[in-house]
Amino acid sequence: MDLGLDSRVVLVAGGRGYIGRAVVQRLREEGATVVVASRNPGQDGVAVDLTDTASARSAVERVLADHGRIDALVVTAAPAAGSLDPARNSDPEQIATAFDAKSLGFLRLANAAAPAMREAGYGRIVGISGQNAYLTGNTTGAVRNAALVIAAKNLADELAGSGVTVNTVNPGPVVDEPSSQVRPGAPGESSPDQIAALVTFLVSPLAAAVSGEAIATGHRVRGVVTF
């Protein structure tokens, strides 16, 4: 299926990460022009610090200067869950730092990209959250992921009717070879490639009718109803 991504310009924040690399590869396979943004972007990438509003704006301005447009933004960047201290799951300082890096980082970059998209009458914004948003037992993970979903939904409503859509993808555990089994009370596993396939669809013109959604990968938490 042709997703209509040929010549589209997509900025992928965190494009050198575990999920981000798969997203970049899939988008390029579909013909998109992909710009990787990260703290250490490598050759042809764009440096960005998502905890800094000026840096987020600068990254978007660089894409616009180099390509004349920005059709889509994918934000996969966030400190890995394994880098958070389980002993500090309810520590306000760790929660605030994680919230700023993930949820506010998404919002900073989305806010920087939205005006150009609105002016063009077309844009796709996708953030990677996580199914910790639906679970207790890890305050840090729940707050940073739930806040991203809420921020994305509010932005989607703000941009409704402009041609710009905003969605989130919420994986459970991400592994190379996901199990088909889903334990009660737990989310199912998914792979970076599976996540990338969904993200690629959401940034395509075919997804024009999808906005304000939080879509799980790997099976939404078994035994839990969420709205």
Side-chain angles (χ1 to χ4, degrees), residues 32-76:
T33 298
V34 182
V35 181
V36 173
S38 69
R39 289 179 182 270
N40 300 292
Q43 188 176 3
D44 300 325
V46 174
V48 68
D49 176 0
L50 293 188
T51 66
D52 185 292
T53 299
S55 179
R57 288 175 179 164
S58 178
V60 171
E61 289 169 359
R62 169 74 181 277
V63 174
L64 292 171
D66 289 350
H67 300 280
R69 58 195 288 178
I70 180 167
D71 298 298
L73 167 67
V74 181
V75 183
T76 72

Short mmCIF file of all heavy atoms in Angstrom, two decimals, residues 32-76:
data_model
loop_
_atom_site.label_atom_id
_atom_site.label_comp_id
_atom_site.label_asym_id
_atom_site.label_seq_id
_atom_site.Cartn_x
_atom_site.Cartn_y
_atom_site.Cartn_z
N ALA A 32 9.88 8.84 2.68
CA ALA A 32 9.91 10.12 3.38
C ALA A 32 11.34 10.63 3.53
O ALA A 32 12.30 9.86 3.61
CB ALA A 32 9.26 9.98 4.76
N THR A 33 11.46 11.94 3.58
CA THR A 33 12.72 12.58 3.93
C THR A 33 12.73 12.73 5.45
O THR A 33 11.91 13.47 6.00
CB THR A 33 12.86 13.96 3.27
OG1 THR A 33 12.86 13.80 1.85
CG2 THR A 33 14.14 14.66 3.70
N VAL A 34 13.62 12.02 6.11
CA VAL A 34 13.61 11.98 7.57
C VAL A 34 14.81 12.75 8.13
O VAL A 34 15.94 12.54 7.72
CB VAL A 34 13.65 10.52 8.09
CG1 VAL A 34 13.59 10.51 9.61
CG2 VAL A 34 12.48 9.72 7.51
N VAL A 35 14.51 13.64 9.08
CA VAL A 35 15.56 14.37 9.79
C VAL A 35 15.57 13.85 11.23
O VAL A 35 14.55 13.88 11.92
CB VAL A 35 15.29 15.88 9.79
CG1 VAL A 35 16.41 16.61 10.53
CG2 VAL A 35 15.17 16.40 8.36
N VAL A 36 16.71 13.36 11.66
CA VAL A 36 16.85 12.83 13.02
C VAL A 36 17.27 13.95 13.96
O VAL A 36 18.20 14.70 13.67
CB VAL A 36 17.91 11.70 13.06
CG1 VAL A 36 18.18 11.27 14.49
CG2 VAL A 36 17.44 10.52 12.23
N ALA A 37 16.57 14.06 15.07
CA ALA A 37 16.91 15.05 16.09
C ALA A 37 17.21 14.34 17.40
O ALA A 37 16.45 13.46 17.83
CB ALA A 37 15.78 16.05 16.29
N SER A 38 18.32 14.69 18.02
CA SER A 38 18.66 14.13 19.33
C SER A 38 19.77 14.98 19.92
O SER A 38 20.27 15.91 19.27
CB SER A 38 19.10 12.67 19.22
OG SER A 38 20.35 12.57 18.58
N ARG A 39 20.16 14.66 21.14
CA ARG A 39 21.28 15.40 21.74
C ARG A 39 22.56 15.18 20.95
O ARG A 39 23.40 16.07 20.84
CB ARG A 39 21.47 14.97 23.20
CG ARG A 39 20.37 15.45 24.14
CD ARG A 39 20.62 14.95 25.54
NE ARG A 39 19.58 15.34 26.47
CZ ARG A 39 19.59 16.45 27.19
NH1 ARG A 39 20.59 17.30 27.08
NH2 ARG A 39 18.59 16.74 28.02
N ASN A 40 22.73 13.97 20.41
CA ASN A 40 23.89 13.64 19.59
C ASN A 40 23.38 13.05 18.28
O ASN A 40 23.33 11.83 18.11
CB ASN A 40 24.79 12.64 20.32
CG ASN A 40 25.29 13.18 21.64
OD1 ASN A 40 26.07 14.12 21.68
ND2 ASN A 40 24.82 12.59 22.74
N PRO A 41 22.98 13.90 17.33
CA PRO A 41 22.26 13.42 16.16
C PRO A 41 23.09 12.75 15.08
O PRO A 41 22.54 12.09 14.21
CB PRO A 41 21.63 14.70 15.60
CG PRO A 41 22.60 15.78 16.01
CD PRO A 41 23.11 15.36 17.35
N GLY A 42 24.40 12.90 15.12
CA GLY A 42 25.22 12.31 14.08
C GLY A 42 25.15 13.12 12.79
O GLY A 42 24.59 14.22 12.74
N GLN A 43 25.70 12.57 11.73
CA GLN A 43 25.77 13.27 10.45
C GLN A 43 24.37 13.53 9.89
O GLN A 43 23.51 12.67 9.91
CB GLN A 43 26.58 12.45 9.44
CG GLN A 43 26.87 13.17 8.14
CD GLN A 43 27.76 12.34 7.23
OE1 GLN A 43 28.10 11.20 7.54
NE2 GLN A 43 28.14 12.91 6.10
N ASP A 44 24.17 14.76 9.41
CA ASP A 44 22.91 15.18 8.77
C ASP A 44 21.74 15.29 9.74
O ASP A 44 20.60 15.50 9.30
CB ASP A 44 22.52 14.24 7.62
CG ASP A 44 23.58 14.19 6.53
OD1 ASP A 44 24.21 15.24 6.28
OD2 ASP A 44 23.78 13.12 5.94
N GLY A 45 21.99 15.14 11.03
CA GLY A 45 20.92 15.27 12.00
C GLY A 45 20.85 16.68 12.56
O GLY A 45 21.60 17.57 12.17
N VAL A 46 19.92 16.87 13.49
CA VAL A 46 19.71 18.16 14.13
C VAL A 46 19.82 17.98 15.63
O VAL A 46 19.17 17.10 16.21
CB VAL A 46 18.31 18.73 13.78
CG1 VAL A 46 18.05 20.01 14.55
CG2 VAL A 46 18.18 18.97 12.29
N ALA A 47 20.64 18.80 16.26
CA ALA A 47 20.79 18.72 17.71
C ALA A 47 19.58 19.34 18.40
O ALA A 47 19.09 20.39 17.99
CB ALA A 47 22.07 19.44 18.14
N VAL A 48 19.10 18.67 19.44
CA VAL A 48 17.98 19.22 20.19
C VAL A 48 18.04 18.75 21.64
O VAL A 48 18.42 17.61 21.92
CB VAL A 48 16.62 18.81 19.56
CG1 VAL A 48 16.36 17.31 19.69
CG2 VAL A 48 15.48 19.59 20.16
N ASP A 49 17.70 19.65 22.53
CA ASP A 49 17.53 19.34 23.95
C ASP A 49 16.08 19.65 24.27
O ASP A 49 15.67 20.82 24.31
CB ASP A 49 18.48 20.21 24.79
CG ASP A 49 18.29 20.02 26.28
OD1 ASP A 49 17.42 19.21 26.67
OD2 ASP A 49 19.00 20.68 27.05
N LEU A 50 15.28 18.62 24.48
CA LEU A 50 13.84 18.83 24.64
C LEU A 50 13.47 19.44 25.99
O LEU A 50 12.30 19.77 26.22
CB LEU A 50 13.08 17.52 24.44
CG LEU A 50 13.12 16.95 23.02
CD1 LEU A 50 12.18 15.77 22.89
CD2 LEU A 50 12.75 18.02 22.00
N THR A 51 14.43 19.61 26.87
CA THR A 51 14.15 20.33 28.11
C THR A 51 14.34 21.83 27.93
O THR A 51 14.14 22.59 28.88
CB THR A 51 15.05 19.84 29.26
OG1 THR A 51 16.42 20.17 28.98
CG2 THR A 51 14.92 18.34 29.46
N ASP A 52 14.68 22.26 26.72
CA ASP A 52 14.97 23.66 26.44
C ASP A 52 14.08 24.14 25.29
O ASP A 52 14.18 23.64 24.17
CB ASP A 52 16.45 23.81 26.07
CG ASP A 52 16.86 25.25 25.88
OD1 ASP A 52 16.40 25.89 24.92
OD2 ASP A 52 17.67 25.75 26.68
N THR A 53 13.21 25.11 25.56
CA THR A 53 12.27 25.60 24.55
C THR A 53 12.99 26.19 23.35
O THR A 53 12.60 25.95 22.20
CB THR A 53 11.33 26.64 25.16
OG1 THR A 53 10.57 26.03 26.21
CG2 THR A 53 10.36 27.19 24.12
N ALA A 54 14.05 26.96 23.60
CA ALA A 54 14.79 27.57 22.50
C ALA A 54 15.42 26.51 21.60
O ALA A 54 15.46 26.67 20.38
CB ALA A 54 15.87 28.51 23.05
N SER A 55 15.91 25.42 22.20
CA SER A 55 16.52 24.35 21.42
C SER A 55 15.47 23.66 20.55
O SER A 55 15.73 23.33 19.38
CB SER A 55 17.17 23.33 22.35
OG SER A 55 17.73 22.26 21.62
N ALA A 56 14.27 23.44 21.09
CA ALA A 56 13.19 22.84 20.31
C ALA A 56 12.82 23.72 19.12
O ALA A 56 12.65 23.23 18.00
CB ALA A 56 11.97 22.60 21.20
N ARG A 57 12.71 25.01 19.36
CA ARG A 57 12.39 25.93 18.27
C ARG A 57 13.49 25.94 17.21
O ARG A 57 13.22 25.97 16.01
CB ARG A 57 12.19 27.33 18.83
CG ARG A 57 10.92 27.51 19.64
CD ARG A 57 10.87 28.89 20.26
NE ARG A 57 9.65 29.10 21.02
CZ ARG A 57 9.48 30.08 21.90
NH1 ARG A 57 10.46 30.95 22.12
NH2 ARG A 57 8.35 30.21 22.55
N SER A 58 14.72 25.92 17.67
CA SER A 58 15.86 25.94 16.75
C SER A 58 15.87 24.72 15.85
O SER A 58 16.19 24.80 14.65
CB SER A 58 17.17 26.04 17.53
OG SER A 58 18.28 26.03 16.67
N ALA A 59 15.53 23.55 16.41
CA ALA A 59 15.51 22.32 15.62
C ALA A 59 14.48 22.40 14.50
O ALA A 59 14.75 22.02 13.35
CB ALA A 59 15.22 21.12 16.52
N VAL A 60 13.29 22.90 14.82
CA VAL A 60 12.25 23.05 13.81
C VAL A 60 12.66 24.09 12.77
O VAL A 60 12.47 23.88 11.56
CB VAL A 60 10.91 23.43 14.46
CG1 VAL A 60 9.87 23.79 13.40
CG2 VAL A 60 10.40 22.28 15.33
N GLU A 61 13.22 25.19 13.21
CA GLU A 61 13.67 26.23 12.28
C GLU A 61 14.73 25.69 11.32
O GLU A 61 14.75 26.05 10.14
CB GLU A 61 14.21 27.43 13.05
CG GLU A 61 13.12 28.23 13.77
CD GLU A 61 13.69 29.24 14.75
OE1 GLU A 61 14.94 29.30 14.89
OE2 GLU A 61 12.89 29.95 15.39
N ARG A 62 15.59 24.82 11.82
CA ARG A 62 16.62 24.22 10.97
C ARG A 62 15.98 23.36 9.88
O ARG A 62 16.39 23.40 8.71
CB ARG A 62 17.56 23.39 11.83
CG ARG A 62 18.52 22.49 11.07
CD ARG A 62 19.67 23.23 10.42
NE ARG A 62 20.51 22.28 9.71
CZ ARG A 62 21.47 21.56 10.29
NH1 ARG A 62 21.73 21.69 11.59
NH2 ARG A 62 22.20 20.72 9.58
N VAL A 63 14.98 22.57 10.24
CA VAL A 63 14.28 21.73 9.25
C VAL A 63 13.61 22.61 8.20
O VAL A 63 13.70 22.35 6.99
CB VAL A 63 13.25 20.82 9.93
CG1 VAL A 63 12.42 20.07 8.89
CG2 VAL A 63 13.94 19.84 10.86
N LEU A 64 12.95 23.67 8.64
CA LEU A 64 12.27 24.56 7.70
C LEU A 64 13.27 25.27 6.79
O LEU A 64 13.02 25.44 5.59
CB LEU A 64 11.44 25.59 8.47
CG LEU A 64 10.23 25.03 9.22
CD1 LEU A 64 9.61 26.09 10.12
CD2 LEU A 64 9.19 24.50 8.24
N ALA A 65 14.42 25.65 7.34
CA ALA A 65 15.44 26.32 6.53
C ALA A 65 16.03 25.37 5.50
O ALA A 65 16.29 25.77 4.35
CB ALA A 65 16.54 26.87 7.43
N ASP A 66 16.24 24.11 5.89
CA ASP A 66 16.87 23.14 4.99
C ASP A 66 15.91 22.55 3.97
O ASP A 66 16.32 22.20 2.85
CB ASP A 66 17.49 21.99 5.80
CG ASP A 66 18.72 22.43 6.58
OD1 ASP A 66 19.21 23.56 6.35
OD2 ASP A 66 19.20 21.64 7.42
N HIS A 67 14.63 22.41 4.35
CA HIS A 67 13.70 21.67 3.50
C HIS A 67 12.47 22.48 3.07
O HIS A 67 11.71 22.03 2.22
CB HIS A 67 13.24 20.40 4.20
CG HIS A 67 14.35 19.47 4.55
ND1 HIS A 67 14.94 18.61 3.63
CD2 HIS A 67 15.03 19.27 5.71
CE1 HIS A 67 15.91 17.92 4.22
NE2 HIS A 67 15.98 18.30 5.47
N GLY A 68 12.28 23.62 3.71
CA GLY A 68 11.17 24.48 3.33
C GLY A 68 9.82 24.04 3.85
O GLY A 68 8.79 24.68 3.56
N ARG A 69 9.78 22.97 4.62
CA ARG A 69 8.51 22.44 5.12
C ARG A 69 8.78 21.45 6.23
O ARG A 69 9.88 20.92 6.37
CB ARG A 69 7.74 21.75 3.99
CG ARG A 69 8.54 20.62 3.36
CD ARG A 69 7.97 20.16 2.04
NE ARG A 69 6.71 19.42 2.21
CZ ARG A 69 6.00 18.95 1.20
NH1 ARG A 69 6.39 19.18 -0.04
NH2 ARG A 69 4.90 18.27 1.42
N ILE A 70 7.76 21.19 7.02
CA ILE A 70 7.79 20.10 7.99
C ILE A 70 6.40 19.48 7.99
O ILE A 70 5.43 20.09 8.43
CB ILE A 70 8.24 20.57 9.39
CG1 ILE A 70 8.25 19.38 10.38
CG2 ILE A 70 7.39 21.72 9.92
CD1 ILE A 70 8.96 19.69 11.69
N ASP A 71 6.31 18.30 7.43
CA ASP A 71 5.01 17.64 7.27
C ASP A 71 4.61 16.83 8.48
O ASP A 71 3.41 16.63 8.73
CB ASP A 71 5.04 16.72 6.04
CG ASP A 71 5.29 17.50 4.76
OD1 ASP A 71 4.46 18.35 4.42
OD2 ASP A 71 6.33 17.26 4.11
N ALA A 72 5.58 16.33 9.21
CA ALA A 72 5.26 15.47 10.35
C ALA A 72 6.35 15.55 11.40
O ALA A 72 7.52 15.81 11.09
CB ALA A 72 5.06 14.03 9.90
N LEU A 73 5.93 15.32 12.63
CA LEU A 73 6.84 15.27 13.77
C LEU A 73 6.53 14.02 14.57
O LEU A 73 5.38 13.76 14.91
CB LEU A 73 6.63 16.51 14.65
CG LEU A 73 7.26 16.49 16.04
CD1 LEU A 73 8.78 16.50 15.95
CD2 LEU A 73 6.75 17.66 16.88
N VAL A 74 7.57 13.25 14.87
CA VAL A 74 7.44 12.07 15.73
C VAL A 74 8.38 12.27 16.91
O VAL A 74 9.58 12.50 16.71
CB VAL A 74 7.79 10.77 14.98
CG1 VAL A 74 7.63 9.58 15.91
CG2 VAL A 74 6.94 10.61 13.73
N VAL A 75 7.85 12.19 18.11
CA VAL A 75 8.67 12.38 19.31
C VAL A 75 8.78 11.07 20.06
O VAL A 75 7.83 10.63 20.72
CB VAL A 75 8.09 13.48 20.22
CG1 VAL A 75 9.02 13.71 21.42
CG2 VAL A 75 7.89 14.78 19.45
N THR A 76 9.92 10.42 19.92
CA THR A 76 10.20 9.18 20.65
C THR A 76 11.17 9.44 21.79
O THR A 76 11.45 8.53 22.58
CB THR A 76 10.80 8.11 19.73
OG1 THR A 76 12.14 8.46 19.39
CG2 THR A 76 9.98 7.94 18.46
#
